[in-house]
Amino acid sequence: MHKTGTIYLVGAGPGPVDLLTLRAARLIETATVIVHDGLIGPDILGLAHPDARLISVAKQRARHTLPQEDINDLLVREALAGRDVVRLKGGDPYIFGRGGEEAETARAAGVPVEVVPGISAANGAAAASGIALTHRDASSIVSFVAGQCKGLSEQDWSGLAGKGRTLVIYMGVSTAAQIAEKLMADGLAPGMPIAVIENAARPEMRVLRGLLAGLPDLVEAEAVKSPALIVIGDVTARDSATLAAIAKEAAQ
């Protein structure tokens, strides 16, 4: 009787190979087929067996190697042909990784799915940059939002950021101006501290800090490129050097 393969939705973490989970590393080493995102580095792909088939489905803003529906079909097709498939994603598969869509498609086709969690981009960026997303004196609530979603201007973000809260924005580099304008229109103070974390947990990581009103200028002046996260809240200014720099900027 023909055997159906399993689709493994595997989180590769924020980038470095040594931040993979053991389960993720073992699946990569033994996989026959690996369908991977563009953010997966050569050090991680280098774990794959020499005979493994590596399929890139890299996505960039407004330009995808394959539309998501075609990726879903590719995974199901390979599994129905009897092959186990590792779907390798940066961060965690279920946090802005479209893993939920892929799992639903697979299950509808009768294909078994296993999810292997990874260190999310937000967790990895926070730890690598020294920013505690929660802090007893500054934040007891954390929200994650996508900065490139449809209908951004119509969404209600009021209450997501402010005193006692931290807001983490994924995929917000290209829409930084709209994000700042939206948050201030929803009542957030222009002087709210922010941080932009580029290439989190990688050797080339940069942590840029400033104020909400200056977010668009900061992104432009520093030529910030994806992958990058925007963190908004008092937790981004907990150290004395940052507090002094922000106070100086506010006074100008």
Side-chain angles (χ1 to χ4, degrees), residues 85-107:
V85 184
V86 167
R87 173 67 172 106
L88 194 56
K89 302 169 174 288
D92 182 271
Y94 276 4
I95 301 181
F96 298 124
R98 296 195 172 182
E101 299 172 40
E102 293 168 354
E104 289 169 0
T105 301
R107 289 173 181 139

Side-chain angles (χ1 to χ4, degrees), residues 125 129 131 167 169 172-174 176 193-200 205-212 214-220 222-232 236:
S129 65
I131 296 173
L167 178 61
I169 302 173
V173 171
S174 62
I194 62 98
V196 179
I197 307 170
E198 181 186 70
N199 288 310
M205 181 180 77
R206 291 196 295 167
V207 182
L208 309 169
R209 303 179 193 248
L211 303 176
L212 177 60
L215 173 61
D217 292 337
L218 177 66
V219 168
E220 182 178 0
E222 296 292 339
V224 177
K225 303 294 183 184
S226 295
L229 290 178
I230 300 170
V231 184
I232 298 173
T236 65

Side-chain angles (χ1 to χ4, degrees), residues 167-187:
L167 178 61
V168 181
I169 302 173
Y170 285 66
M171 302 168 286
V173 171
S174 62
T175 55
Q178 296 97 303
I179 287 169
E181 180 180 354
K182 176 176 182 56
L183 287 171
M184 289 187 289
D186 285 345

